Amino acid sequence: MTREKAQAAYPAFEQVGLRAPDDVMRLARMGAFFPTRLSFMRVLMRRLAAQRAAVERSVWDIDANGFGRAVYSVTLDGHTYSLVAFSNELKPEERTDRVIAEAWDAAFVLFDGVPGEADLDRLQNNAPRQEAGRFSERELVLSRANKSVRLFDHVVERLAAGRQPDEGQVVPIGYLMRTTAVYGNGKFGIADRARIAGRGAMRGPFAAEMLAVWLIRGFTFDLVEHVARRRAPETAVHLDDRLRRHLGIGNSTGLGMAPFLVNHPVLLNNWIMARETALARVRALPGADEGVADRLVELTRRVSAHLDEWWVDDARQMARIETLRREWEQIASLFDIDWWRGKRPFDRAVEHSLHASLECQELVVALVLEPHGHLIDGLADCMDCTREARLEPAMTLEQLRALIGEHCGWALDVDFDKRAESRRFWYVSEEKLEPRLGDRYEEQGAELEMPLDIARRIQALDQSLNGEENGTVAEFLMRHSEHRYIVRRIQSLGRHPYAEIRDNLIGEDCLPIDMLRCKLSFFGASRFDPRSDRWTRITLFGGAPTFDDVEKGADCDDWWLPAFGAS
Amino acid sequence: MKCSRNEIAALAYKAALGAGVDPGSAQDAAAATVRLCVENRDGLTILLKRLEEPEGLRQRVAAADLKTKREEADDEFEKALVACRTDEPGAGGAIEVHEESFASASRLAHRIYVPATEASRLSGAGAGTTDND
């Protein structure tokens, strides 16, 4: 490609400097992230919309009580994907605390292609068993879900009686079913991500998982209407479009997800780098394009409505929301149409927000990205990662020391003489086979801890490097294999500066919920509802386009921070 | 039994940790195991043999750092280690694994799991609040 052609194909965008990793990669800030137009659900929905993807319900073998099986198929880039749904009766005594739950209202599989009868029978035996089941590479995603019994029954009752459900119940709950884990990438014998990673719409991170959840959402609408109709065929009505759009899929997410960010450093970097690059491009704009100022005023108003609908039981998060509401009120009056029509309005908005809380700062970031799809949506193609970093054996210790100096000050500053700084340890629970967090001084098992003690490992390496002559990393690791893990991580920071969470993950003050929120914001989740400092409820696809919207070519890209009151 | 690559990688990594290998070397050993499987070798069984001498495995991983071509490697495990650094694995689907090796590796992996206690259940991820509504 000639230089001219390359420039035409890949136009260079002006950008300001990226925000420093030492600021961005702190837990407190990561725990304040909001979804953006680069979040994976948004990206998937744009790709579905671009293809006007039609969802076909090819099997509906559901009885009057809503139990049985169903299949939904959708074709993208020439590949058909099918959601297989199994809806089971769950006795009240089986409906219990999720930690020990073994039975579920529904189990789901995203199947590569269109399943035949034999596939369906095989999956019917295995899907409800999830971890205990065995799957094949035709299966892409597994999940299971429970109903929000309260809301599901209410909606059935109302629809059967020919009435719409009470908004006062639909809006705060926000979903008819909530999933637990949504498994992908090879779990329990299902397909590796590599099988689908090269296929158009599936190439983004978690695209298959997000597609499965969106299809599950459509299934819950069909299910609730079906049960209502079978109960009262004469009087039953459809669920109102506006309510339907509001409803998403709930999800409970716990500690299992937190180590993922540490175990995939380059992937984490790519997510953050894409978003930070997007922000740097927008901040560099000298002024707002036609229509953008009006749009931002409208979005600012929608955010206010969204915040008003965000209520949680968690005292810490509720206090943050209340602060944010106050700050947003001030922002909304300051960031008026004239602000956005001024010079460098986006850069000034971000600068101005630095006086406010981290939640508010990150919300302003997401806001200014929203109307600039043409400038930043292409960055979504840079958010996956085919391979984590390889060791560079030929690197000199001098170069390694320089990387530590440049990127690891945060780790060297932790005072591990203080017991509090190493109070926690991450481990895999024998009972759940899931990551857990223990107290080193109160609980057994610290000798089996997972290597999430990044800061401590950096310090240990730094000490070992003291007094080393200059040589290569390979020679050093020959004598010090215990540092191999951390050396590889540090080596990657030169090219992947956002790869590391720059906080002590075993300190007493580490809140796993911050890691969860970071990850979930990249999924596109909103209405974070922490249930402790270790797990959170969220809603996925709340406010998102429905099957009909996508097929009919409705605007499928305007559902950032949706608010029922503003819809 | 058929396994995904990711499943084998995760199992091999945990088995290596369970055998006492440091996490950095365990990552490379896991990648090499998958590479062997992709190239139609019995990767998991080969790994298990290596894990009988964790120190030897660790040295082998370090020795592979000094080699830039497969041909320089001393054995198939080292070849796989070098290959993981120098080229990309081919495409391919599920991998056939000996159930016996899978079970042995799982037993090793099991050594890194921490048994639950009443305290850990109470402070677990979803503890304290039910998830019904």
Side-chain angles (χ1 to χ4, degrees):
Chain A
M1 203 184 281
T2 64
R3 194 188 166 85
E4 290 71 34
K5 269 192 184 164
Q7 278 179 352
Y10 303 103
F13 295 102
E14 294 285 326
Q15 63 179 63
V16 303
L18 298 173
R19 293 197 294 177
D22 275 333
D23 289 333
V24 176
M25 300 308 291
R26 304 315 281 247
L27 281 176
R29 184 176 294 279
M30 295 169 77
F33 283 177
F34 281 90
T36 70
R37 60 178 303 115
L38 292 174
S39 296
F40 310 141
M41 288 193 283
R42 293 287 301 281
V43 175
L44 174 71
M45 202 49 71
R46 284 198 290 273
R47 289 177 178 161
L48 286 164
Q51 302 189 33
R52 296 276 293 263
V55 179
E56 188 201 347
R57 195 174 85 184
S58 52
V59 175
W60 185 260
D61 185 8
I62 302 280
D63 71 15
N65 294 314
F67 307 127
R69 63 193 191 187
V71 177
Y72 292 80
S73 298
V74 60
T75 300
L76 291 165
D77 318 287
H79 296 274
T80 301
Y81 305 94
S82 300
L83 180 81
V84 185
F86 300 100
S87 166
N88 317 297
E89 182 165 16
L90 191 60
K91 298 189 181 74
E93 62 270 24
E94 294 174 315
R95 197 174 294 286
T96 174
D97 186 329
R98 63 175 281 275
V99 180
I100 52 169
E102 279 169 4
W104 303 85
D105 282 321
F108 303 97
V109 176
L110 187 70
F111 187 86
D112 192 11
V114 179
E117 279 291 312
D119 292 312
L120 291 180
D121 292 341
R122 177 173 60 83
L123 294 174
Q124 185 144 15
N125 285 328
N126 282 285
R129 296 164 63 205
Q130 299 269 311
E131 291 90 342
R134 206 53 212 165
F135 298 87
S136 83
E137 57 188 319
R138 295 296 299 277
E139 285 86 71
L140 304 175
V141 176
L142 302 175
S143 191
R144 66 204 148 173
N146 274 350
K147 287 170 188 154
S148 166
V149 176
R150 200 152 45 104
L151 188 60
F152 197 92
D153 289 350
H154 169 76
V155 175
V156 167
E157 203 174 288
R158 285 288 183 96
L159 295 182
R163 299 169 60 201
Q164 289 301 319
D166 175 13
E167 289 178 6
Q169 294 203 41
V170 172
V171 174
I173 295 179
Y175 56 81
L176 293 168
M177 278 192 182
R178 66 176 173 282
T179 56
T180 60
V182 179
Y183 292 119
N185 197 10
K187 280 271 192 180
F188 317 117
I190 65 176
D192 283 306
R193 199 180 121 63
R195 180 181 170 105
I196 50 168
R199 299 181 190 170
M202 290 294 109
R203 69 182 180 270
F206 294 95
E209 289 88 339
M210 295 299 118
L211 176 63
V213 174
W214 184 66
L215 292 169
I216 291 170
R217 173 177 177 249
F219 167 74
T220 67
F221 299 151
D222 284 358
L223 188 68
V224 80
E225 290 189 340
H226 169 87
V227 176
R229 202 164 47 244
R230 292 293 290 268
R231 187 176 295 178
E234 307 292 317
T235 53
V237 291
H238 284 291
L239 181 60
D240 171 71
D241 275 352
R242 192 160 157 261
L243 291 170
R244 182 187 291 254
R245 233 184 186 235
H246 172 78
L247 287 167
I249 287 292
N251 177 268
S252 296
T253 294
L255 282 179
M257 200 177 248
F260 179 94
L261 295 178
V262 183
N263 293 335
H264 298 83
V266 176
L267 182 64
L268 174 62
N269 172 79
N270 294 354
W271 296 0
I272 306 277
M273 182 63 91
R275 196 198 55 184
E276 293 302 317
T277 303
L279 178 62
R281 285 183 188 173
V282 169
R283 291 177 74 171
L285 292 172
D289 285 348
E290 184 67 34
V292 166
D294 294 305
R295 177 95 176 106
L296 280 164
V297 170
E298 179 200 329
L299 287 169
T300 304
R301 234 180 270 135
R302 190 205 289 175
V303 168
S304 301
H306 177 90
L307 296 179
D308 285 343
E309 289 172 15
W310 186 12
W311 291 94
V312 299
D313 292 336
D314 181 71
R316 172 180 177 265
Q317 185 58 39
M318 198 60 233
R320 288 163 58 141
I321 295 169
E322 277 163 3
T323 302
L324 180 55
R325 285 175 184 159
R326 279 196 304 277
E327 290 170 338
W328 201 256
E329 208 172 306
Q330 290 168 2
I331 279 204
S333 60
L334 184 65
F335 293 179
D336 58 7
I337 193 88
D338 294 328
W339 176 286
W340 299 119
R341 283 180 180 155
K343 283 196 177 135
R344 293 180 71 85
F346 314 111
D347 192 44
R348 284 170 49 236
V350 171
E351 284 292 326
H352 180 83
S353 74
L354 297 179
H355 302 291
S357 66
L358 289 172
E359 294 246 8
C360 188
Q361 293 177 28
E362 292 305 311
L363 191 47
V364 169
V365 167
L367 172 76
V368 298
L369 297 188
E370 189 57 27
H372 292 107
H374 63 288
L375 193 61
I376 64 176
D377 284 352
L379 291 164
D381 291 340
C382 311
M383 294 173 90
D384 64 346
C385 166
T386 47
R387 180 165 48 70
E388 283 294 334
R390 289 169 169 165
L391 190 84
E392 296 173 46
M395 180 182 276
T396 64
L397 295 185
E398 197 179 342
Q399 290 170 310
L400 184 63
R401 285 193 187 98
L403 284 170
I404 294 174
E406 190 181 347
H407 293 285
C408 301
W410 64 273
L412 300 179
D413 287 344
V414 179
D415 181 2
F416 281 107
D417 288 337
K418 292 188 180 142
R419 272 164 62 95
E421 295 292 5
S422 53
R423 177 172 289 281
R424 308 274 180 227
F425 71 100
W426 295 81
Y427 65 92
V428 180
S429 144
E430 180 187 37
E431 186 175 59
K432 302 296 293 176
L433 298 183
E434 283 279 340
R436 290 287 180 262
L437 195 53
D439 183 322
R440 190 182 310 278
Y441 310 121
E442 304 283 332
E443 291 171 57
Q444 304 287 313
E447 71 284 0
L448 295 173
E449 79 180 295
M450 293 157 61
L452 269 73
D453 52 337
I454 305 299
R456 198 169 59 173
R457 283 174 182 269
I458 291 172
Q459 288 199 8
L461 169 66
D462 191 58
Q463 276 163 21
S464 291
L465 285 173
N466 271 339
E468 280 285 330
E469 298 292 314
N470 198 17
T472 64
V473 158
E475 291 156 3
F476 174 73
L477 291 181
M478 198 76 94
R479 285 174 282 118
H480 288 287
S481 71
E482 73 274 17
H483 295 312
R484 189 176 183 87
Y485 174 82
I486 199 68
V487 165
R488 179 169 14 226
R489 297 184 75 99
I490 293 169
Q491 285 185 324
S492 83
L493 289 173
R495 254 174 295 167
H496 308 289
Y498 299 108
E500 206 69 84
I501 299 171
R502 301 193 177 199
D503 260 314
N504 176 21
L505 302 179
I506 57 169
E508 189 171 76
D509 298 332
C510 167
L511 296 176
I513 195 85
D514 291 334
M515 298 158 84
L516 300 182
R517 174 143 166 196
C518 165
K519 189 175 176 204
L520 293 167
S521 74
F522 276 95
F523 283 14
S526 55
R527 289 162 50 116
F528 301 94
D529 180 8
R531 312 301 289 180
S532 80
D533 60 10
R534 299 180 180 198
W535 72 283
T536 183
R537 273 239 193 104
I538 46 158
T539 312
L540 298 168
F541 290 108
T546 60
F547 294 172
D548 277 353
D549 291 331
V550 170
E551 189 176 353
K552 289 178 182 152
D555 179 358
C556 292
D557 197 29
D558 185 19
W559 55 289
W560 177 67
L561 293 191
F564 185 77
S567 63
Chain B
M1 66 192 289
K2 293 261 191 192
C3 290
S4 69
R5 290 184 196 192
N6 202 27
E7 220 173 5
I8 292 171
L11 178 60
Y13 175 63
K14 287 193 281 190
L17 291 182
V21 176
D22 63 275
S25 303
Q27 287 176 322
D28 290 296
T33 303
V34 173
R35 178 59 69 103
L36 286 165
C37 290
V38 170
E39 294 175 358
N40 292 319
R41 306 304 311 272
D42 186 358
L44 216 43
T45 308
I46 294 169
L47 173 74
L48 286 167
K49 185 84 193 141
R50 296 283 167 170
L51 290 180
E52 288 169 11
E53 286 178 67
E55 177 57 23
L57 179 134
R58 192 195 64 69
Q59 286 174 6
R60 192 56 81 188
V61 169
D65 289 343
L66 303 172
K67 301 177 178 176
T68 52
K69 291 196 200 83
R70 277 176 188 242
E71 296 72 44
E72 298 167 12
D74 290 338
D75 56 44
E76 60 182 348
F77 190 71
E78 198 177 283
K79 277 195 172 75
L81 285 165
V82 175
C84 286
R85 231 185 39 245
T86 55
D87 58 61
E88 298 293 335
I95 286 160
E96 189 62 41
V97 171
H98 284 302
E99 293 205 19
E100 214 170 288
S101 300
F102 190 90
S104 303
S106 299
R107 275 195 296 278
L108 276 178
H110 196 266
R111 292 188 193 169
I112 67 164
Y113 301 150
V114 177
T117 60
E118 208 40 49
S120 71
R121 282 196 195 97
L122 286 174
S123 65
T129 29
T130 67
D131 197 19
N132 291 321
D133 57 19

